[in-house]
Amino acid sequence: MLRGLYTAASGMFSLERRQETLANNLANAQTPGFKKDDTVLRAFPNLLIQRINDFNEMAKVSGPGAPPIPGYPVPIGDLYNGVYAQERIPSFTQGALVDTNNPLDIAIEDQEIPAQNVKGRQVKPNAFFAVQLPNGTVGYTRDGKFDLDANGNLVTADGYRVIGVDNKPVQINGSISKEDLRISPDGQIIAYSNEPSKTRNIGRIGIAVAQNPLDLRRLGDNVYQSANPLPLIQGNGTNPGVSLHQGSIEQSNVDLGQTMTDMMSTVRGYEANQKILGVYDQSLEKLYTVGRLDG
């Protein structure tokens, strides 16, 4: 009977973690470039229950006509011991691109990157902006809502400096305003593109491609980190399928309707396990009162 209590409790713990993941997805539905997480629920290893000290027809082992063998185990069936939330797996599907007309809003489009064969399975690589973290390491983000800080550095909404192809922060020197900048699909930053006498190339935004994005670790602030630094795209055509769109942002890939539906089904599953615990509690209470002498 206690095994049933443990099974129902494990279901409640797992569904609670799933609900936390869904709530986080919902809270970031309007965060540019946010990638939702999916919770993977797995069953605990099942046990094969057998009946021992019993008779089993030897015919099942050596053929018809054989005598029964005392003590031979007889299979009964499988016993499952509940579920657990094994991990959160991010979904890196492309979010919708929305025009903002802000010259420093940049969206990555990478749907055309060809899939790669990783450990015998097809994996879709993904492109990211490279940013400098406060501790000096490199992080990766899809949030392209950039701006210029007081020193002319190109920064994210959270203040992380954007890294160029030279592995240094991109800096806009002089009195160049963000309205005077044009960013090409391959990341080139060009100032005064409409004035030939003043046109000049300032630098190039660094774009990193993760061949297996599931190896990335989420740090928070919509930033990921890799165990090994990802190489930046250096030349034109070295990584087909990646292009930047100036004046646009990538929305999150959270489906609001599906997320709300999943949250409601998770609550219903939690309530079902809660009722099972109540039934077991009542059964144990009756068992405890059997044979009890009052007074």
Side-chain angles (χ1 to χ4, degrees):
M1 182 177 289
L2 292 179
R3 186 179 292 114
L5 284 172
Y6 298 146
T7 301
S10 71
M12 294 176 68
F13 289 135
S14 300
L15 292 173
E16 183 178 358
R17 291 192 61 184
R18 184 170 188 257
Q19 190 77 334
E20 291 173 355
T21 301
L22 292 170
N24 184 63
N25 291 341
L26 189 63
N28 287 281
Q30 302 302 320
T31 301
F34 177 80
K35 301 302 178 184
K36 67 177 182 178
D37 286 324
D38 295 321
T39 304
V40 177
L41 300 182
R42 297 190 184 276
F44 284 105
N46 59 310
L47 303 176
L48 177 62
I49 305 301
Q50 295 181 333
R51 195 167 68 238
I52 62 174
N53 295 327
D54 205 341
F55 288 90
N56 186 28
E57 290 296 333
M58 188 62 179
K60 297 180 180 179
V61 181
S62 61
I69 300 177
Y72 194 86
V74 180
I76 297 177
D78 291 333
L79 174 67
Y80 294 90
N81 295 288
V83 299
Y84 65 102
Q86 184 184 34
E87 58 185 334
R88 292 181 179 181
I89 298 180
S91 172
F92 289 98
T93 56
Q94 176 82 46
L97 303 188
V98 178
D99 293 335
T100 63
N101 296 321
N102 187 332
L104 291 185
D105 283 350
I106 307 170
I108 294 177
E109 185 175 8
D110 61 359
Q111 296 184 84
E112 300 302 322
I113 299 180
Q116 305 288 330
N117 190 298
V118 178
K119 297 180 180 178
R121 63 172 180 166
Q122 293 294 308
V123 177
K124 175 71 170 61
N126 288 101
F128 297 86
F129 296 109
V131 296
Q132 187 178 63
L133 302 179
N135 60 3
T137 59
V138 179
Y140 306 96
T141 182
R142 295 279 295 203
D143 186 355
K145 197 167 186 62
F146 299 150
D147 206 345
L148 297 176
D149 65 8
N151 298 319
N153 294 307
L154 189 64
V155 296
T156 67
D158 294 300
Y160 302 136
R161 291 189 289 182
V162 180
I163 295 176
V165 293
D166 56 357
N167 291 299
K168 297 179 181 179
V170 176
Q171 191 170 37
I172 312 298
N173 296 317
S175 59
I176 303 174
S177 66
K178 57 185 179 181
E179 288 77 15
D180 297 324
L181 299 175
R182 185 179 73 83
I183 295 150
S184 66
D186 64 351
Q188 298 284 351
I189 305 174
I190 303 170
Y192 306 113
S193 61
N194 295 326
E195 302 179 47
S197 61
K198 299 172 62 176
T199 300
R200 58 192 177 97
N201 193 318
I202 295 177
R204 186 178 175 188
I205 296 174
I207 301 296
V209 176
Q211 299 301 323
N212 186 3
L214 295 181
D215 288 339
L216 300 177
R217 179 170 61 92
R218 191 189 291 273
L219 294 181
D221 293 334
N222 211 4
V223 174
Y224 298 87
Q225 196 167 39
S226 174
N228 299 309
L230 301 177
L232 301 179
I233 300 175
Q234 295 295 328
N236 295 332
T238 56
N239 200 92
V242 180
S243 62
L244 302 185
H245 296 265
Q246 184 181 16
S248 300
I249 59 170
E250 179 189 8
Q251 291 185 321
S252 72
N253 62 356
V254 178
D255 186 328
L256 290 176
Q258 184 63 49
T259 301
M260 292 296 294
T261 301
D262 291 342
M263 292 182 74
M264 288 188 289
S265 65
T266 300
V267 170
R268 296 293 181 267
Y270 190 92
E271 292 175 346
N273 281 284
Q274 195 174 34
K275 290 178 180 178
I276 292 173
L277 283 180
V279 171
Y280 275 107
D281 181 63
Q282 294 175 7
S283 299
L284 288 173
E285 183 179 0
K286 291 180 179 179
L287 180 63
Y288 175 72
T289 59
V290 172
R292 187 177 61 182
L293 298 177
D294 296 330

